[in-house]
Amino acid sequence: SIWAIPTIIILRCLNNLVLIRIGTISSDRIGHFVPDASIRWAEIQEKMKNHIDLFWLPKSTCNSQWETMVRRNFNVSWLFYYLYKWNRLLPGGEKNNIPHNKTRFRDTSGLISKTGAKLEFLSDEENKAKNWMKKIGWKEGDPFVCLLVRDSSFLNSENKQGEWNHHNYRDSYIETYMPAIKWLADQGIWVFRMGKIMGTPLSTNHSHIIDYAFNNEKSDFLDVWLFAKCTLCISTGTGPDTISQIFQRPILMLNYIPIRGMWTWCDTTTYPKHLFNINSNKEISLEEQLNRYPFSFSQDYQKAKIRIVDLTEEEILEAVAEKWSMLEGTWIPQAGDHERQSEFWRQLKTCKEYKCGVYNSPAFSKQFGYIHPKARLGYSFLRRSPEFLEKKYTS
């Protein structure tokens, strides 16, 4: 307080000349740390030229490489914590406070896509990563895919006493991805199975399939570089995939629910899990999912008697082949594809905000916001699930 309080007074006196703000960046989860820092960086490049932002980070962060990249681009010091603390304690400090939103990972304004702003790797970091890739047989220019299939192993390992089964509905079985993985590898595309702590190793010896999650040389550095540089990120939506989002890599979301959480602000093709009414055994429509069953916990689906069905091996393979053909520019639409896609977006834009059991005004702009030109729901999913777009629910 001896030095922090006078410093705060001086900073506030300078507000008319230059606005100096103090805050922190969420760093406990990679899915928060990466987008929070990147959106702030894009804001600084876009419209905050007359600002000086000072940040403090906790002594322990979730990824050392991303912390390094943040520290060399932002004004970061643990001393700023004391300025942050006293600015909040002393009345009148709102203007000098950087609002902290722990779940700030949705780029609803599309700043990253619009500005292209991102934290860059140094040349020696690039060389270090490429040398490791070449050691396993990769040649510069070879396409490679990062595959991240969520299971509960990581969260369970963090807190063995905790109960994480409320998000089990987001888990998938890596075995169902094997036909798609082999399809990619057989075409000469490298596949890196990602994950900090995963439950089941891959059962394959294919030279182009790297079970990086069980590799002794994996590191925070390679985690970030691989997701940042991949030709395609295939994920179920679990945190590290935000690195690919920030570096504007194409993303394929498989078995992704709830649909209300769909990423619309980046190049993402989404294939959700199927939801069925247990009593009628009929598929639950998009309209129902948005405005009747906006669930985020496993027990909510159970209470509502909703059966969650993963995509089959065939559906996953079809989705991967479809996305890859789009990347290569060889995809050909089938009859009704564009009409079904337009109807999907029309219904999604009617989404209402759901909070504490109450539906309020349309929430599309708040929940989704910016729509990237290449954001879409999977065409083959819409073909296979005609009931998905049927109007069934009346509020």
Side-chain angles (χ1 to χ4, degrees):
S1 61
I2 293 175
W3 64 269
I5 293 176
T7 303
I8 288 297
I9 294 173
I10 294 172
L11 295 186
R12 292 182 184 181
C13 290
L14 294 173
N15 280 348
N16 290 332
L17 297 175
V18 59
L19 181 61
I20 301 176
R21 306 188 308 167
I22 313 103
T24 187
I25 298 172
S26 297
S27 58
D28 58 337
R29 290 270 189 274
I30 193 73
H32 298 162
F33 195 14
V34 170
D36 192 4
S38 299
I39 293 171
R40 292 190 190 281
W41 183 248
E43 288 173 342
I44 291 171
Q45 308 310 305
E46 175 75 359
K47 57 183 179 182
M48 296 172 62
K49 304 297 184 183
N50 62 331
H51 287 50
I52 296 177
D53 284 348
L54 310 177
F55 294 95
W56 61 273
L57 291 175
K59 294 181 179 179
S60 177
T61 62
C62 61
N63 185 282
S64 59
Q65 172 62 23
W66 191 251
E67 178 182 344
T68 297
M69 296 171 76
V70 167
R71 286 185 179 278
R72 69 179 177 227
N73 286 279
F74 291 86
N75 300 308
V76 178
S77 171
W78 179 248
L79 293 176
F80 297 151
Y81 166 76
Y82 300 101
L83 297 180
Y84 172 81
K85 175 182 176 180
W86 282 101
N87 184 60
R88 290 172 64 88
L89 289 174
L90 298 173
E94 293 80 8
K95 196 171 182 179
N96 298 91
N97 177 57
I98 300 175
H100 177 50
N101 184 347
K102 189 176 181 180
T103 59
R104 191 189 196 202
F105 63 92
R106 304 180 69 87
D107 186 17
T108 52
S109 61
L111 262 181
I112 293 170
S113 293
K114 294 173 182 177
T115 65
K118 59 182 181 293
L119 307 186
E120 300 287 357
F121 292 93
L122 302 180
S123 59
D124 62 330
E125 291 173 332
E126 292 281 359
N127 292 333
K128 177 182 176 182
K130 289 178 181 179
N131 288 337
W132 182 85
M133 294 281 281
K134 291 173 182 176
K135 187 173 67 172
I136 63 174
W138 176 84
K139 297 177 182 178
E140 192 153 358
D142 286 352
F144 71 93
V145 169
C146 286
L147 171 71
L148 181 60
V149 178
R150 185 189 192 277
D151 62 31
S152 299
S153 300
F154 176 67
L155 289 178
N156 288 340
S157 72
E158 281 198 319
N159 185 355
K160 292 181 174 59
Q161 304 301 319
E163 293 293 334
W164 297 101
N165 58 1
H166 57 281
H167 276 174
N168 281 354
Y169 70 93
R170 295 168 56 195
D171 293 348
S172 298
Y173 297 99
I174 188 63
E175 294 83 1
T176 61
Y177 292 76
M178 285 309 300
I181 293 172
K182 291 177 180 177
W183 180 85
L184 288 165
D186 287 342
Q187 298 184 77
I189 302 162
W190 291 83
V191 180
F192 291 82
R193 189 275 188 94
M194 307 296 289
K196 190 131 187 165
I197 300 174
M198 306 304 290
T200 307
L202 296 180
S203 55
T204 178
N205 293 318
H206 199 297
S207 62
H208 275 56
I209 301 175
I210 308 299
D211 200 353
Y212 173 80
F214 290 88
N215 191 297
N216 292 330
E217 294 186 308
K218 70 178 180 180
S219 64
D220 283 0
F221 164 67
L222 285 174
D223 289 350
V224 175
W225 190 90
L226 287 167
F227 275 113
K229 300 295 183 174
C230 62
T231 311
L232 172 66
C233 170
I234 302 175
S235 179
T236 56
T238 181
D241 41 27
T242 57
I243 301 169
S244 295
Q245 171 206 326
I246 296 310
F247 283 86
Q248 300 186 64
R249 310 313 302 152
I251 300 171
L252 175 62
M253 287 290 190
L254 299 176
N255 283 312
Y256 185 90
I257 55 172
I259 200 68
R260 291 173 67 96
M262 176 180 172
W263 296 9
T264 64
W265 54 89
C266 50
D267 180 357
T268 305
T269 303
T270 302
Y271 290 77
K273 295 189 179 190
H274 300 282
L275 304 182
F276 289 88
N277 185 300
I278 292 177
N279 294 328
S280 66
N281 202 35
K282 291 186 176 181
E283 185 161 9
I284 295 175
S285 68
L286 170 64
E287 190 178 37
E288 290 176 296
Q289 291 186 41
L290 293 176
N291 298 316
R292 188 176 185 180
Y293 305 120
F295 300 147
S296 297
F297 298 103
S298 299
Q299 55 266 35
D300 293 331
Y301 290 100
Q302 295 167 2
K303 290 177 183 178
K305 296 185 177 181
I306 294 174
R307 179 163 50 95
I308 302 173
V309 179
D310 285 13
L311 299 171
T312 65
E313 292 181 357
E314 293 77 14
E315 289 175 309
I316 292 173
L317 174 57
E318 186 176 39
V320 170
E322 182 177 272
K323 181 67 174 181
W324 197 260
S325 67
M326 290 178 180
L327 296 181
E328 292 185 324
T330 59
W331 179 75
I332 300 175
Q334 297 183 19
D337 276 350
H338 295 311
E339 290 78 8
R340 285 186 288 267
Q341 192 72 211
S342 296
E343 175 61 16
F344 165 75
W345 287 104
R346 188 195 68 77
Q347 290 192 30
L348 190 67
K349 291 178 181 179
T350 67
C351 173
K352 294 183 178 180
E353 182 179 9
Y354 178 82
K355 191 174 183 180
C356 300
V358 177
Y359 293 95
N360 297 314
S361 58
F364 183 84
S365 60
K366 180 179 180 181
Q367 179 72 12
F368 300 98
Y370 173 74
I371 302 176
H372 191 280
K374 293 184 179 180
R376 59 179 65 86
L377 199 76
Y379 289 104
S380 62
F381 177 87
L382 291 173
R383 290 186 216 121
R384 283 177 174 265
S385 307
E387 292 185 339
F388 185 72
L389 294 179
E390 289 183 3
K391 293 179 67 65
K392 298 180 180 180
Y393 172 67
T394 303
S395 59

